[in-house]
Amino acid sequence: MAEHNSHESHGHEQHGSLKSYVIGFILSVVLTIIPLVVVLNDMMGRTGTVAVVLVTAAFQFVVQLFFFMHIRETEKPRWNVMALIFGLLMMLTIVIGSIWIMLNNTVAH
């Protein structure tokens, strides 16, 4: 009985329960299948398809953060959030810079 109580007292140090991982996995699979079905069945126009893909991608990002990366489980998640913001800024810089280069990459004939 003492082992059971000591295990519960350290429960906040665990990264996640099986239940949270299963829920995260199911949500990830659903959020992957939705845009796949929309694209493969040509269910919407170009704008609608892009919107569905972007919205499900954003939700997928949130699911990954909370269910698998445990962004809010530490008592002081400030460093996790700062690292996340830095990573997002780097990603946006690379993506926007790549798009800018591709759009302005014209060869004069």
Side-chain angles (χ1 to χ4, degrees), residues 29-45:
V29 168
V30 168
L31 289 170
T32 301
I33 290 173
I34 290 170
L36 182 67
V37 168
V38 169
V39 169
L40 290 178
N41 293 321
D42 203 21
M43 298 172 79
M44 298 180 177

Side-chain angles (χ1 to χ4, degrees), residues 11 13-21 67 70 73:
E13 294 177 3
Q14 293 180 350
H15 287 292
S17 66
L18 179 62
K19 179 182 177 183
S20 73
Y21 284 127
F67 286 97
H70 314 289
E73 286 189 4

